[in-house]
Structure formats: C-alpha cells, structure tokens
Amino acid sequence: MKYKIEHTNIFEYDTVVDQSMNTIRLKPRTDEVQRLLSYRAEITPASLTKEHIDIWGNNVETFFIAEHHRHLQVKTTSIVSIQKSPFIHQIDYSPEMRAIFHSKLFGEHYLAYLSNTAYTYLNPEQIMQVDRELGKFDNPVQYAIDVMDYIHDHFTYNGELTDVSTKASESFGLRNGVCQDITHVMLGVLRSKHIPARYVSGYLYVGENSALVGDAASHAWVEVMVPGVGWVGLDPTNNIEALENHIRVGVGRDYNDVSPVQGVYRGGSQSLDVKVSVSLLDQ
C-alpha cells in the first residue's frame, strides 16, 4: 500500500510575533514494514530546518523564525509504502516467551515503557474496575487484546469533552475521548500489569465506506512489546491490529513525547487549524 499524506498546521497570532523557535515531529519512520519514499516540509515564513533523531528514534526537525509574523504555516507532504500482514492473533505464547517476559533483563531494557506518566496514570480504583471484568492473566499478548476489546466496548469516541492536556484518569471517568485519550488509558492498564507498551502517533487511512475512526487529524494507537517478537500495534479506537492502514510517525511514552508541533514564541495568544489528508496512491 502506498500513501500520500498532506499535513498542514496553521497558526494565527493575535499580536505580532517577533521570533519563534519550533520543533516538529511529522516525518514518517522507515522500518521493516514501512518505507518513507519522499518527504517535504514547507514553512511560511520561510525557514531552514535542522534535523536530528531523538531518544525514542523519532525524526525531529527544528527551525527558528526571526522576522515579525502573525501567521505561521507548516505543511508537510509525505509518500509512504507499507507492507504488513495480520500477526498478533497468530502468536503462540510459548514457555520461552514467558521466561523472557518475567526476566529481570527484559524489565530493565523496557523500563521507560513500563512506568506510567502523568498522561497514562490510572488510579487503583480504575484498575480494579478493569480487573473485575478481565480478571487475572497468564498471557500478556492475549491480555493486551482483551484490554483493547474492553476499552473499545466501554469508551465513546468523542472530541467534545477532552483536549490535548486531558489525562487518562480523567478520560477513564468520562468514558469519552479521542484516539489520544483512548490510547493513554490502554497504556495505563497495560503498564499497571508490567507489560511494556508505547504510544504511537501517525496517520490512519480510512478510505471509502469504512467504519474506521481517526482520519480527520493525526491518529494514535498502542504498540506492545512481545517477547522474542518485537513491537506489535493495537488500535483501541477501532479495536483492530495496526496494519497497512496505519502510517507510523513517532513513538514514545505518551503524547508529550511525540507531539507533532511544539514551540515557544514572543507575542500574544494563538489559534491553530490542522488539516490532514491521507490518500491511497496504489496497492
């Protein structure tokens, strides 16, 4: 599957901004199942970008605008090829996998994805609510699938009650949220059971006549570390394994690690308009 992604962020400022420093994480990743074929970032007012790889392996670009401006537009255009087949339901959780999962080395290596953050923390009462329905588990792979089912069944996709600062404990109480909130809740549950799990940001190709949700802006889902196998994606918003429709951009502990655009500026308040388009080129 080959996709073209156009992502535009338009900032409007109430007063003149005399300078700004910005960081963007909008360049899709290249790995064993996804290949970035082309990428272009257009910034208005014009600015050169400096690129580096962060601690999580994400592509990061920074740029500085010294001239006065009341409008900032960041438009990226990417072409990505993905080839991925269903996998997680075929995993046979072997005794060898179990030994790795319970080993000290495994826990130490993935410690960053075992510790909850302010975004992903759920209180003990909330974890108990999940436990009452799902019970104890022996197979973390199947448990991750069960958690995805549970969250999909109990949460309503709704962008009216939450925003980018909403924490998992809040959205759990609301039983409402967007993909970011739903992903944070699933991470909180999995990490409470010492299952390494990370936040993934990217895009979702929905296409025509599809029941999938999450194509209006950046999408988010979970990746679980399967011992001896690697990271496997699960999309709790849609209750599906993340396959060839899911285009990966960044990974981290939570949304804060992969926020698409971050910056500081000197000026008044701002408004942001985001436009995302994902189109299928061929398959």
Side-chain angles (χ1 to χ4, degrees), residues 6 27 53 98 111 128 195 206 211 232 253 255-256 263 277:
E6 293 181 318
K27 185 176 183 179
I53 304 297
R98 183 174 291 104
L111 182 61
M128 286 178 62
I195 298 173
V206 171
V232 178
R253 296 165 298 179
Y255 170 80
N256 194 53
S277 169

Side-chain angles (χ1 to χ4, degrees), residues 18 48 60 68 72 93 95 107 109-110 122 159 165 176 192 204 211 246 252 273 275:
D18 58 10
L48 295 175
V60 183
H68 288 193
L72 170 62
Y93 191 66
H109 188 76
Y110 295 106
L122 296 171
S165 65
N176 278 257
S192 75
L204 177 66
H246 292 73
D273 182 29
K275 300 175 182 177

Side-chain angles (χ1 to χ4, degrees), residues 1-275:
M1 308 284 278
K2 186 187 294 184
Y3 302 102
K4 180 180 180 181
I5 307 103
E6 293 181 318
H7 186 154
T8 305
N9 293 274
I10 303 172
F11 294 88
E12 300 287 351
Y13 302 101
D14 290 343
T15 62
V16 172
V17 173
D18 58 10
Q19 57 183 312
S20 65
M21 176 67 76
N22 304 274
T23 300
I24 59 175
R25 291 175 173 82
L26 294 167
K27 185 176 183 179
R29 301 164 71 92
T30 290
D31 55 30
E32 62 274 9
V33 297
Q34 175 175 300
R35 189 155 58 102
L36 178 63
L37 302 178
S38 68
Y39 171 81
R40 182 176 74 254
E42 301 171 84
I43 300 167
T44 308
S47 177
L48 295 175
T49 64
K50 184 177 181 180
E51 186 171 343
H52 71 276
I53 304 297
D54 69 13
I55 191 174
W56 314 110
N58 303 316
N59 298 299
V60 183
E61 296 169 276
T62 59
F63 61 92
F64 177 70
I65 299 178
E67 65 182 88
H68 288 193
H69 56 286
R70 293 192 63 167
H71 168 97
L72 170 62
Q73 177 173 300
V74 179
K75 179 181 179 180
T76 59
T77 304
S78 309
I79 296 179
V80 176
S81 175
I82 301 177
Q83 184 174 358
K84 191 173 185 181
S85 301
F87 187 72
I88 195 166
H89 291 281
Q90 301 173 21
I91 294 174
D92 179 19
Y93 191 66
S94 65
E96 290 79 13
M97 284 183 175
R98 183 174 291 104
I100 294 172
F101 178 78
H102 291 288
S103 70
K104 181 180 178 181
L105 182 61
F106 184 76
E108 290 176 346
H109 188 76
Y110 295 106
L111 182 61
Y113 300 117
L114 287 167
S115 304
N116 272 307
T117 68
Y119 266 116
T120 66
Y121 173 77
L122 296 171
N123 64 50
E125 291 76 15
Q126 292 170 329
I127 295 298
M128 286 178 62
Q129 287 185 45
V130 179
D131 288 346
R132 279 195 289 269
E133 288 208 29
L134 300 185
K136 295 182 179 180
F137 74 95
D138 181 57
N139 179 341
V141 179
Q142 184 58 51
Y143 183 76
I145 297 170
D146 293 343
V147 172
M148 179 174 70
D149 292 341
Y150 170 89
I151 292 173
H152 185 262
D153 290 344
H154 288 77
F155 279 72
T156 300
Y157 186 88
N158 181 356
E160 301 297 320
L161 300 178
T162 62
D163 56 38
V164 294
S165 65
T166 302
K167 308 300 189 292
S169 57
E170 301 171 69
S171 51
F172 188 96
L174 295 169
R175 297 297 174 111
N176 278 257
V178 293
C179 54
Q180 172 184 313
D181 306 303
I182 294 168
T183 296
H184 281 149
V185 170
M186 182 167 172
L187 289 173
V189 176
L190 295 179
R191 290 175 184 170
S192 75
K193 304 304 183 188
H194 307 290
I195 298 173
R198 65 185 184 182
Y199 187 103
V200 187
S201 70
Y203 307 103
L204 177 66
Y205 174 70
V206 171
E208 299 179 2
N209 303 317
S210 173
L212 298 179
V213 176
D215 68 328
S218 296
H219 194 51
W221 60 96
V222 171
E223 282 186 341
V224 177
M225 172 49 64
V226 178
V229 174
W231 294 103
V232 178
L234 293 170
D235 180 352
T237 302
N238 293 293
N239 198 27
I240 58 172
E241 183 177 353
L243 297 172
E244 70 276 1
N245 283 33
H246 292 73
I247 303 156
R248 299 162 71 247
V249 173
V251 301
R253 296 165 298 179
D254 57 26
Y255 170 80
N256 194 53
D257 285 338
V258 296
S259 176
V261 182
Q262 295 175 318
V264 293
Y265 65 94
R266 196 157 62 186
S269 59
Q270 67 176 26
S271 62
L272 171 63
D273 182 29
V274 180
K275 300 175 182 177

